[in-house]
Amino acid sequence: MSDKNRPIVGIIGVGKLGLSLARILLSKGYGVIGASLEHNAEFERLGARYVEDATAIATQSDIAIECVGSESAASHLGQAYLAGAAAGKVYVSLSTFHPDFKEEQSRLLDAGGAAYVDATISGGPARLEAGEATLFVGCDDKTVVDRCAPLFSDMTNRWYYTGEVGSASKLKLVNNALGFVHNVAVAEALALAEKMKLDPLRVIEFLAGGTGSSTALTVRGPLMARRDYGPPSGDMAGAVVVLDVMLEMAQKHDAHMTLLEQAGKFYRRALDEGRHGQDIAQVYEMINPR
């Protein structure tokens, strides 16, 4: 697709994920505009352009991508977007929210003439920019997904159409259930390795790709082994919010999540210990303190 045929993409919420998206799309030749509650100078330094608000995103872009941190903010911004949306506009919600909320937003946006896409990402901003993130896409109208397919392919070569609105969010919850359990399991395993006088980094090297491997081992394991966690890519407070949704959905569907409930105790304890903003890899400090 030539640059002149690429749609103008509006990013609603220019935080870490919004900046990563802007970098990727600008490098692919897209025109990128953005609106955010807090001004981020880096967005403009990249070559993107700020507009006034979500209403302006609707009037000046072909496809909007929302990536904000709360359902209340998403609800407000969705209404603002509708004020300027004409028929045929596409609104992609990339935030991790309750599936019921996304289904409600879909009804509102669709009734207002804009097509709603429920999308979620497995992997944070850094993994997205490295080409290692996975995108799940749910939409009631498959033709809308087909229309957006070139954009999704430019965002990542690992994206999947999961079905109707809500399906992508549900799949992300299943993914997170595994990730949260794996994270605690890796912390416990590396703590055992260290206590047995094994080098945790070598353990990760030897086990990567084997039956005991996981993304938690290969991505967060080195952070634990070095006890150097850097800026959080998934913090404890956010984990507990998602954990509550997962357990609510499990109860609703009569699914037993014994391991998730046990792993969840570490994330809840982290909040009791004031670790709200720490990366979830820092459960290692709780399991194997210095």
Side-chain angles (χ1 to χ4, degrees):
M1 182 185 292
S2 64
D3 290 359
K4 66 180 181 180
N5 292 326
R6 282 185 166 85
I8 302 297
V9 177
I11 298 177
I12 302 174
V14 187
K16 292 179 181 178
L17 181 56
L19 280 176
S20 291
L21 282 171
R23 289 189 189 97
I24 292 169
L25 297 179
L26 287 165
S27 73
K28 302 283 187 177
Y30 288 82
V32 177
I33 61 175
S36 188
L37 294 176
E38 295 184 5
H39 188 88
N40 192 327
E42 178 64 19
F43 186 70
E44 292 178 306
R45 284 196 291 268
L46 292 174
R49 177 172 61 88
Y50 266 111
V51 294
E52 184 178 353
D53 53 25
T55 303
I57 291 284
T59 58
Q60 299 181 41
S61 70
D62 302 295
I63 300 174
I65 301 178
E66 167 263 299
C67 41
V68 299
S70 71
E71 291 182 0
S72 60
S75 180
H76 171 76
L77 291 166
Q79 292 284 3
Y81 178 85
L82 273 179
K89 297 285 186 174
V90 179
Y91 186 94
V92 180
S93 175
L94 201 56
S95 303
T96 300
F97 295 140
H98 197 295
D100 291 351
F101 174 81
K102 288 208 169 185
E103 290 170 12
E104 178 186 355
Q105 286 293 93
S106 175
R107 288 190 289 271
L108 290 172
L109 270 292
D110 289 345
Y116 184 91
V117 178
D118 162 32
T120 57
I121 283 183
S122 173
R127 293 193 68 204
L128 180 65
E129 289 193 58
E132 299 172 350
T134 301
L135 177 67
F136 304 127
V137 177
C139 184
D140 294 341
D141 186 348
K142 178 63 163 54
T143 63
V144 172
V145 177
D146 293 340
R147 181 175 147 201
C148 295
L151 170 64
F152 296 148
S153 295
D154 282 334
M155 289 167 58
T156 174
N157 60 9
R158 297 166 60 181
W159 73 272
Y160 303 96
Y161 174 58
T162 59
E164 64 187 7
V165 166
S167 61
S169 293
K170 292 172 184 175
L171 187 56
K172 178 66 181 293
L173 291 178
V174 173
N175 178 81
N176 282 351
L178 287 167
F180 288 172
V181 171
H182 289 173
N183 184 62
V184 174
V186 168
E188 289 186 339
L190 292 183
L192 173 63
E194 188 174 336
K195 291 178 185 298
M196 294 192 302
K197 308 301 182 185
L198 297 174
D199 180 346
L201 285 172
R202 297 300 301 279
V203 169
I204 295 167
E205 177 186 349
F206 296 148
L207 299 185
T211 58
S213 187
S214 66
T215 301
L217 178 69
T218 58
V219 174
R220 284 199 160 87
L223 307 181
M224 299 176 190
R226 297 188 181 99
R227 296 184 187 264
D228 182 5
Y229 302 95
S233 60
D235 61 53
M236 300 288 194
V240 170
V241 170
V242 177
L243 177 70
D244 287 340
V245 175
M246 288 188 286
L247 293 176
E248 176 196 332
M249 295 296 285
Q251 183 176 27
K252 177 180 178 180
H253 295 281
D254 194 28
H256 300 287
M257 306 292 288
T258 304
L259 291 178
L260 182 62
E261 290 173 353
Q262 292 302 312
K265 292 178 181 179
F266 286 96
Y267 304 110
R268 297 188 195 284
R269 197 182 100 200
L271 300 194
D272 292 339
E273 295 179 1
R275 299 176 180 269
H276 295 68
Q278 291 186 359
D279 191 282
I280 62 171
Q282 287 177 257
V283 295
Y284 190 64
E285 302 300 326
M286 302 162 64
I287 291 170
N288 187 26
R290 297 175 198 247

